[in-house]
Amino acid sequence: MIRSIFVCLLTTAVLLTVSVVKAQQTARIPRIGFVAGSREGTSIGAFQRGLRDLGYIDGKHIQVEYRYAEGNVDRIPTLVNELVQLKVDVLVVITLIGIRAAKEATKTIPIVMVTTQDPVATGIIDSLGRPGGNITGVTTLTRDLNGKRLELLKETVVGISRVGVLWDTNAGPGPAIAFKEYEASAGGLKIQLQSLAVRGPNPDFDGTFQAAANGHISAMITMNNLVLTRYRKRIADLAIKNRMPSMNELSTYVEAGGLMSYAANNADQYARAAVYVDKVLKGAKPADLPVEQPTKFEFVINLKTAQQIGVTIPQSVLFRADKVIK
């Protein structure tokens, strides 16, 4: 009798152990959807490192579904909807077009955004402190730095009066709004702006730089967007060829050969997005997570480019640089 009871208990224990092991093996790991306009210029490596630093190994603790539009803006809503249909646990979206598409596609899946725009002014969230709804994340506030970029450009290139602004007309309403903001700042600095508009996904840069030469433009600002990011080396090479000093909205343009940039550290923002993913997976509600703003901005100068185009950077400007590429 005792032996029968022992065998029964042993069998039950074995079955329970097998059941637990099977449950662990088949346990569903959280899925994260990641949508960006391009693989390039997205600092995806910083996002991945951020996840690893928090203890998440892709394929073990989480599964990340990456989707890239590869410069085609029109594809972004489709990619967002694809991930919504997969019922991902968190959706990380980079472009304003993607964030709006995600907002329309789902009211339940938490959305972590990384945006250069003011998410309140663009109607994405209710406020930075209490976003409301299912969207939170970080904003780099690129547009708030327009005036400072013009000031630095004027201090660096003595005597400039006409500045061209390179932007993509096929990138939604954001760049057109940004151009008006640049114009507002330029007036106080007595700088005249000229639009150097291109149209993605296949911009005519040669024609645009010829227009800049014809318009006697002495310096330029390049707006960052997913199409222009893909061509940042081409833009830098043409600027050098035309001896055109350039101010950029992202340091990767300077690393490609642009003269200067003034912006938040892009990698830091993507690493912070990983922190938001962690909080959401642990149960936090996006509506209660304040949207973060950058606290530090980087001024980057490429001295090699300065020498190539014959521009001497004043010492007063060099001293303020956070990074100098030689």
Side-chain angles (χ1 to χ4, degrees), residues 108-187:
T108 56
I109 297 176
I111 298 167
V112 174
M113 64 178 173
V114 179
T115 179
T116 61
Q117 309 292 325
D118 181 336
V120 178
T122 53
I124 298 299
I125 59 175
D126 296 335
S127 70
L128 295 176
R130 292 190 66 84
N134 60 325
I135 302 177
T136 187
V138 297
T139 173
T140 58
L141 296 179
T142 292
R143 298 280 72 85
D144 289 4
L145 306 178
N146 294 348
K148 185 65 175 180
R149 292 189 184 100
L150 281 169
E151 288 179 16
L152 289 169
L153 191 57
K154 186 172 183 178
E155 287 183 53
T156 303
V157 188
V158 180
I160 62 169
S161 58
R162 291 179 63 82
V163 174
V165 180
L166 182 66
W167 60 291
D168 178 14
T169 61
N170 198 36
I177 296 171
F179 182 77
K180 292 180 180 179
E181 293 172 350
Y182 272 117
E183 280 188 317
S185 299

Side-chain angles (χ1 to χ4, degrees), residues 33 35 80 84 88-95 98-114 124-125 131-138 273 276-277 280 284-287 289 291:
V35 185
V80 168
V84 169
V88 294
D89 296 280
V90 186
L91 191 55
V92 181
V93 191
I94 307 306
T95 65
I99 297 166
R100 283 178 168 158
K103 185 176 182 179
E104 292 179 5
T106 178
K107 303 299 181 187
T108 56
I109 297 176
I111 298 167
V112 174
M113 64 178 173
V114 179
I124 298 299
I125 59 175
N134 60 325
I135 302 177
T136 187
V138 297
Y276 275 86
V277 169
V280 169
K285 296 180 179 179
L289 293 175
V291 171

Side-chain angles (χ1 to χ4, degrees), residues 142-319:
T142 292
R143 298 280 72 85
D144 289 4
L145 306 178
N146 294 348
K148 185 65 175 180
R149 292 189 184 100
L150 281 169
E151 288 179 16
L152 289 169
L153 191 57
K154 186 172 183 178
E155 287 183 53
T156 303
V157 188
V158 180
I160 62 169
S161 58
R162 291 179 63 82
V163 174
V165 180
L166 182 66
W167 60 291
D168 178 14
T169 61
N170 198 36
I177 296 171
F179 182 77
K180 292 180 180 179
E181 293 172 350
Y182 272 117
E183 280 188 317
S185 299
L189 295 171
K190 297 181 180 179
I191 293 175
Q192 184 178 352
L193 292 191
Q194 178 172 323
S195 171
L196 298 177
V198 295
R199 186 172 183 81
N202 299 302
D204 177 15
F205 291 117
D206 290 323
T208 300
F209 272 87
Q210 185 58 54
N214 295 339
H216 303 290
I217 291 173
S218 50
M220 65 179 284
I221 289 176
T222 303
M223 285 191 200
N224 176 54
N225 86 314
L226 63 93
V227 170
L228 297 187
T229 293
R230 296 183 70 192
Y231 291 100
R232 58 189 183 278
K233 181 66 168 59
R234 171 74 172 152
I235 294 169
D237 288 345
L238 282 170
I240 291 172
K241 179 181 178 181
N242 288 273
R243 301 175 71 83
M244 180 81 66
S246 64
M247 168 61 78
N248 303 275
E249 296 183 346
L250 209 61
S251 61
T252 52
Y253 286 75
V254 184
E255 293 165 3
L259 180 61
M260 299 183 298
S261 67
Y262 186 69
N265 186 298
N266 211 38
D268 286 349
Q269 305 311 304
Y270 280 78
R272 291 304 300 169
V275 173
Y276 275 86
V277 169
D278 175 55
K279 290 180 179 180
V280 169
L281 291 179
K282 289 177 177 175
K285 296 180 179 179
D288 301 328
L289 293 175
V291 171
E292 286 190 8
Q293 305 173 71
T295 57
K296 180 183 178 182
F297 301 99
E298 293 184 333
F299 180 32
V300 183
I301 299 174
N302 191 322
L303 273 186
K304 180 180 178 181
T305 297
Q307 294 170 355
Q308 288 177 299
I309 63 177
V311 170
T312 300
I313 308 292
Q315 285 298 320
S316 59
V317 175
L318 271 177
F319 287 147

